[in-house]
Amino acid sequence: MSTLAWFALGSLAVWAWLLLGQGFFWRTDQRLPPVPRGGPDRWPRVVVVVPARDEAGVLPLSLPSLLAQDYPGVAEVILVDDGSTDGTGKLAVGLAGRYGGLPLTVVSPGEPEAGWTGKLWALRHGMALARAREPEFLLLTDADIAHEPDSLRLLVAAATANGLDLVSQMARLRVASFWERLVVPAFVYFFAQLYPFRWINRRRPLATAAAGGCVLLRTETAVAAGVPEVIRQAVIDDVSLARAVRRAGGRIWLGLAERVDSVRPYPGLGELWRMVARSAYAQLRHSPLLLAGTVAGLAVVYLVPPVALVAGLAGGDAVAAWAGGVAWAVMAGTYGPMLRYYRQPLWLAPLLPFTAFLYLLMTVDSAVRHHRGRGAAWKGRTYARPEATSER
């Protein structure tokens, strides 16, 4: 057999494993776990903490949805203005005055101390204020996340009914522009492939992760885990948070959201590129070896099948064409459920190799940015790798 045929067969073998052996990552049925009708007998006190930096563009679409929660118990919102220059804090106060609803407190902690990322510095301040109210749960949610009126109620009911310490939902990201349609569903698909939700949600978990846009966290567990202090340098803060909670003995659940949506637009490829490149190399622990392995893996798993099919048909290599074609078909088939979840046409599924190639380039660019000193840049701040950051 030809070298191309061997590569195609190798890719097909990987896809057979991914289809059946990777926690059925491609299924999209991991939603909030069931709860008794009517909810808990007692609704615990909850404080919602929202870190926000220069979010005036999205806050009118997200903050009113938090203030309008129909939670049966006592709840309030703390928005932490993380050094915004666009009037985020003032806008939040105005929105609360206009819409009413849950009580809102707006605070600003000042610039982060050395050894802290901005978001976690804001969360530290907000969580400290929240704990003074003695809530049983904290809802940590990003400023671009909009919640349906029953979102908080459903989260708390799921946590209390199932004995969970951290309940996290991956918000449905905005999909409107061409590039969002091409890139966003694949982003969630790749995340689920790396962290299969079923593995995370087992009583004896095989993986650990969370989605930082929407995290309901039991306060006593947060204290026991030492968060956010123990993860103060984390760029990928959601996965780091989940690992800290797991180390403290907490139970975690992660799934796709039905009542929680991101309103942040990524209309062009440039915005999406920066979103991925900001943290891709951090995900690889800034390791050139892991980077090389990731690039090779993406190439074999996602790029070889279409290349083998086309080249095999053109060159009369039946084995390469057959193996490449079947691998590509399996790939597209596993991507279909995520496209349906995002209400996108299934003809986008065969384009996944092209999207994977874009992610390959974004990952390489993330490493290049890091080595040029631009690292994990976000809203005017650049974070070095953790071990290169001084601690206090």
Side-chain angles (χ1 to χ4, degrees), residues 28-252:
T28 56
D29 55 355
Q30 291 293 289
R31 311 297 170 89
L32 279 177
V35 300
R37 182 171 296 181
D41 296 332
R42 179 188 63 84
W43 290 94
R45 187 185 189 103
V46 181
V47 176
V48 182
V49 180
V50 185
R53 177 173 171 83
D54 292 335
E55 298 287 12
V58 298
L59 215 57
L61 302 175
S62 59
L63 184 59
S65 73
L66 281 173
L67 301 176
Q69 290 299 299
D70 65 357
Y71 185 65
V74 177
E76 62 179 293
V77 180
I78 296 176
L79 185 138
V80 186
D81 184 0
D82 180 21
S84 299
T85 59
D86 64 352
T88 288
K90 184 177 180 180
L91 175 61
V93 172
L95 290 169
R98 185 186 315 166
Y99 291 98
L102 299 183
L104 173 71
T105 301
V106 177
V107 296
S108 180
E111 284 299 303
E113 293 182 359
W116 285 83
T117 63
K119 178 181 177 180
L120 289 170
W121 175 251
L123 281 177
R124 175 181 183 262
H125 195 74
M127 291 173 68
L129 289 177
R131 284 197 292 267
R133 275 82 160 171
E134 298 184 344
E136 189 170 334
F137 286 96
L138 302 167
L139 175 60
L140 313 179
T141 185
D142 289 347
D144 65 326
I145 302 299
H147 295 253
E148 293 295 327
D150 59 355
S151 171
L152 180 57
R153 175 162 48 85
L154 292 173
L155 284 165
V156 172
T160 55
N162 295 276
L164 299 169
D165 298 283
L166 186 154
V167 179
S168 180
Q169 290 185 290
M170 180 161 282
R172 201 189 308 256
L173 305 176
R174 197 191 90 138
V175 176
S177 71
F178 167 78
W179 289 108
E180 286 172 335
R181 294 173 187 272
L182 191 67
V183 174
V184 166
F187 176 81
V188 183
Y189 172 88
F190 293 143
F191 183 90
Q193 188 178 85
L194 189 61
Y195 302 105
F197 296 166
R198 276 179 174 75
W199 285 3
I200 293 168
N201 298 339
R202 289 165 46 111
R203 284 196 170 270
R204 294 185 177 181
L206 300 177
T208 303
C214 177
V215 175
L216 184 74
L217 177 62
R218 197 179 295 270
T219 306
E220 65 178 1
T221 304
V223 173
V227 296
E229 286 78 10
V230 297
I231 59 169
R232 61 187 178 275
Q233 300 181 67
V235 174
I236 308 175
D237 54 89
D238 44 12
V239 175
S240 299
L241 170 62
R243 288 172 177 165
V245 169
R246 189 79 82 193
R247 285 195 298 269
R251 283 198 60 204
I252 290 176

